[in-house]
Amino acid sequence: MNRKYWVIGGISAAVVAAIVLVATLRHGGGSPQKWIAKKYSRTGVGTYRSPKPPPAVAAEINKKHKAIDRVDDLARLGPQGGIFMRYPKLVVGVLPDGTGSRITVDTPSSGYGRYHSHVGGYWASPGTNGWNSRGVGSFRGGGPGSGK
């Protein structure tokens, strides 16, 4: 009888492990920032380089780490534009850089401030804790009576 429970427990553990593995792979595992740092050449603090054009780089990043929202103004602004992806705790900018791309990774407030002229008409400003999964400013509690 004990062996039967061991087999059922082992099968259950394997199913749970498979679900966790698939979910991790599907969401790219880890943060977009860590993945970008491994995938592209670092040129400065929070700045990376790829020989590929911005649409290809943005597609690679978004395939691995699905953004909450994305603004692409390359068609309208050409080399003065870029592709900007919003994550709960990051803003990733992919900009033309010669024949390749410059990739920047910022906190929500820094990225929103840096790229406001590109994203200001599309994104609301982030809260003190970034954006939630729907892209709305996420705020930590506070003030009188909070936490009751």
Side-chain angles (χ1 to χ4, degrees):
M1 196 98 147
N2 283 340
R3 185 170 186 220
K4 179 180 175 182
Y5 292 115
W6 280 98
V7 170
I8 292 171
I11 291 170
S12 297
V15 168
V16 169
I19 291 169
V20 169
L21 178 63
V22 167
T24 301
L25 292 174
R26 188 172 187 196
H27 294 291
S31 75
Q33 186 171 14
K34 288 180 183 176
W35 186 84
I36 289 167
K38 288 180 185 177
K39 175 88 174 156
Y40 304 105
S41 303
R42 183 174 177 214
T43 60
V45 176
T47 307
Y48 304 87
R49 174 98 173 62
S50 171
K52 298 177 183 177
V57 173
E60 286 176 347
I61 295 168
N62 199 53
K63 182 177 179 183
K64 194 70 174 173
H65 292 278
K66 182 79 173 139
I68 294 171
D69 198 5
R70 171 185 160 129
V71 171
D72 180 346
D73 62 7
L74 282 171
R76 187 170 53 88
L77 298 176
Q80 303 304 314
I83 300 171
F84 309 94
M85 295 178 286
R86 179 170 56 162
Y87 294 91
K89 304 276 186 198
L90 296 173
V91 171
V92 175
V94 185
L95 305 122
D97 187 31
T99 58
S101 299
R102 179 170 47 99
I103 304 139
T104 61
V105 180
D106 290 294
T107 65
S109 58
S110 295
Y112 183 80
R114 182 194 299 223
Y115 298 121
H116 184 268
S117 62
H118 299 274
V119 302
Y122 302 97
W123 298 350
S125 62
T128 55
N129 200 28
W131 290 285
N132 66 24
S133 61
R134 294 180 313 279
V136 177
S138 176
F139 296 91
R140 262 194 200 157
S146 67
K148 291 185 177 180

